[in-house]
Amino acid sequence: MVLDRRLERDLLLSAPALILSLTAEERTRSRYHFLTDDDTAVFLQLPRGTTLQNGDLLAATTDEMFVRVVAKPELVLTITSDNSLNLLRAAYHLGNRHVSLEIAPTYLRLSPDPVLEAMLVHLGLQLITEVAPFCPQGGAYSHHH
């Protein structure tokens, strides 16, 4: 099945959607072969530069089947602090290094990196290595296709 369109997320479906669990890096691939969670082969043929988000709905031109994108749990580094200013400082330093970063009110999340981990410990932050969905923030000039 060739998936070549992104649909409105809130669209009421006439057929149930298959689930396509993808890591953050996999969600940046606009032309690639994947298997859905139930092992259905799909090929993404989306406009170049498309970055998929958790919850996106994809369809083939024939509309025979719909596929819902889900952020697949992956190894991540979650950063927390009792002091929100420390989280802001960490976001600033990580942004200066152009690190893909998930930003939430109580934590930051990024792909594990020993050099960045050392910097963050030096800044006095708490670090947890865990397996969780990773949904990095789009860049300032990114938009939803």
Side-chain angles (χ1 to χ4, degrees):
M1 172 182 359
V2 177
L3 302 171
D4 58 2
R5 294 184 300 134
R6 183 172 13 198
L7 305 174
E8 294 296 321
R9 288 175 173 224
D10 304 344
L11 187 68
L12 294 174
L13 300 178
S14 58
L18 297 172
I19 302 298
L20 179 60
S21 298
L22 301 174
T23 64
E25 190 273 325
E26 290 170 334
R27 292 192 310 273
T28 65
R29 297 179 182 169
S30 55
R31 300 191 186 290
Y32 204 80
H33 290 273
F34 290 107
L35 291 176
T36 63
D37 291 10
D38 72 346
D39 290 329
T40 300
V42 297
F43 177 67
L44 297 185
Q45 193 170 17
L46 301 167
R48 297 224 184 263
T50 298
T51 298
L52 297 170
Q53 303 298 321
N54 185 48
D56 278 351
L57 187 60
L58 304 175
T61 303
T62 60
D63 285 336
E64 77 231 15
M65 190 65 69
F66 301 98
V67 175
R68 175 90 51 200
V69 175
V70 173
K72 182 179 186 176
E74 58 187 291
L75 189 63
V76 293
L77 183 64
T78 301
I79 307 157
T80 60
S81 177
D82 295 335
N83 181 335
S84 60
L85 186 56
N86 285 344
L87 279 180
L88 286 172
R89 282 190 186 106
Y92 171 80
H93 288 292
L94 293 166
N96 277 341
R97 289 163 178 78
H98 302 279
V99 172
S100 291
L101 188 64
E102 180 176 336
I103 302 170
T106 59
Y107 69 87
L108 302 173
R109 187 170 281 156
L110 63 144
S111 295
D113 179 299
V115 173
L116 296 176
E117 288 179 37
M119 177 194 73
L120 294 164
V121 167
H122 180 73
L123 291 172
L125 298 152
Q126 290 79 49
L127 310 178
I128 303 163
T129 301
E130 60 184 339
V131 175
F134 180 38
C135 300
Q137 186 75 30
Y141 300 103
S142 67
H143 53 73
H144 197 70
H145 290 270

